Each structure stands twice: as structure tokens, then as C-alpha cells.
Amino acid sequence: MQPQDTISYWLSYALRYVGSAFFEVLEAHCMERGKAYVITPAQWGMMALLSANGEQTIGMLAQQLSVDAPAITAVVRRLEQSGLVERVHDREDRRVVKVSLTAEGQDIIHSLNPVVAAFNEQLLSHDQRQVFLAQLQHLIARVSAVAPGTG
């Protein structure tokens, strides 16, 4: 079997290709707004979760993004250096660290919402996107059945 005949090949290729294009869109927006930082797709994902759900622990972010806690901590550190998020230790349990958007973080993520929506619409119409996302979710469920330890 050739790699081009596999689902894994095309998913990996699409992830790199779409991720690269998404990075360019995020970078262009940050540059247009005169920002000294550039939001990466991974940073955008975390910031979008914080915007939608409010303050989160590192563990909660890791679970929602299906990434290990050290990777989340590294992203948080970079965002913190750019002044986009802040970490606060829980008053009752100092071991618990909560992350929230700063005013600058809220500003940039809100300004990115229409940019991200337009990017998604350019890739697939709303109806096509709904079908595609349903197919991806079905694929993930099938993978979980084939390889229960996945994810």
C-alpha cells in the first residue's frame, strides 16, 4: 500500500497544510495590528478556550486540548511573556495554577474571531464544515474503538 492511499497520510498532510495557512492568517492579523507578538495556532486554541470558558487550570486546558500538561505550560509561558495571559495560584491550594486572559489577550482574541471565521468559511462553507466535522468525529470514534488507548 502506498502512503497516498492511507487516511493517516492525508490527515497528516492536511494538518500541516491547513496549520501553516492558519499561522499565516494569524501572523498577518497580528502584524496589521502592530503587535510585537504573533499568535500561533496552538496559542490561538488555548486563548479561544480561555475566552469561551474563562479561567482554567493547566490540567483542564491539557484535557480539553488533548495535550500533556508540560506542553500546555510551555504555551502558557510564551503567552505570559507576551502579556496575553496571566497565571494565578489558587488561594486555597497553591499547587493549583489557574490561567486567564489579560485585557490584551481578550482584545486580540476578540479581534481574531471574525478573521478565524472568514478563514474557516474560505476553506469550507458552513454546511460543508458541519458535514466534515461530523465525519471527523465519526473517524475519531472509530479510531477509539480500534485502538482504545488512543488519546
Side-chain angles (χ1 to χ4, degrees):
M1 176 177 271
Q2 296 295 316
Q4 296 87 342
D5 296 331
T6 67
I7 294 169
S8 298
Y9 173 86
W10 287 107
L11 283 175
S12 178
Y13 184 83
L15 179 62
R16 286 191 314 274
Y17 203 71
V18 172
S20 180
F22 189 42
F23 176 79
E24 287 183 24
V25 167
L26 296 172
E27 180 182 42
H29 182 75
C30 290
M31 291 177 71
E32 285 172 13
R33 295 205 57 202
K35 301 301 181 183
Y37 55 79
V38 173
I39 304 294
T40 67
Q43 291 171 340
W44 175 84
M46 182 181 299
M47 292 177 68
L49 278 176
L50 291 170
S51 178
N53 302 326
E55 184 178 73
Q56 304 278 306
T57 65
I58 298 284
M60 292 164 70
L61 288 167
Q63 184 178 27
Q64 291 175 59
L65 295 168
S66 297
V67 180
D68 62 6
I72 294 297
T73 301
V75 174
V76 167
R77 187 178 311 112
R78 287 190 298 275
L79 288 170
E80 196 174 34
Q81 290 168 347
S82 295
L84 301 172
V85 301
E86 60 186 354
R87 288 189 263 194
V88 178
H89 289 275
D90 188 85
R91 291 180 184 167
E92 296 171 13
D93 185 349
R94 301 259 325 138
R95 295 171 297 176
V96 176
V97 178
K98 295 183 178 177
V99 180
S100 61
L101 292 173
T102 63
E104 174 68 15
Q106 291 173 2
D107 177 60
I108 193 69
I109 201 69
H110 285 100
S111 73
L112 277 167
N113 285 338
V115 173
V116 172
F119 175 75
N120 277 286
E121 191 64 30
Q122 287 175 323
L123 296 182
L124 294 172
S125 71
H126 174 76
D127 292 342
Q128 291 171 321
R129 200 166 46 256
Q130 295 308 311
V131 170
F132 182 64
L133 295 176
Q135 290 172 329
L136 283 175
Q137 291 166 357
H138 178 74
L139 179 65
I140 290 166
R142 299 278 305 179
V143 169
S144 295
V146 172
T150 306

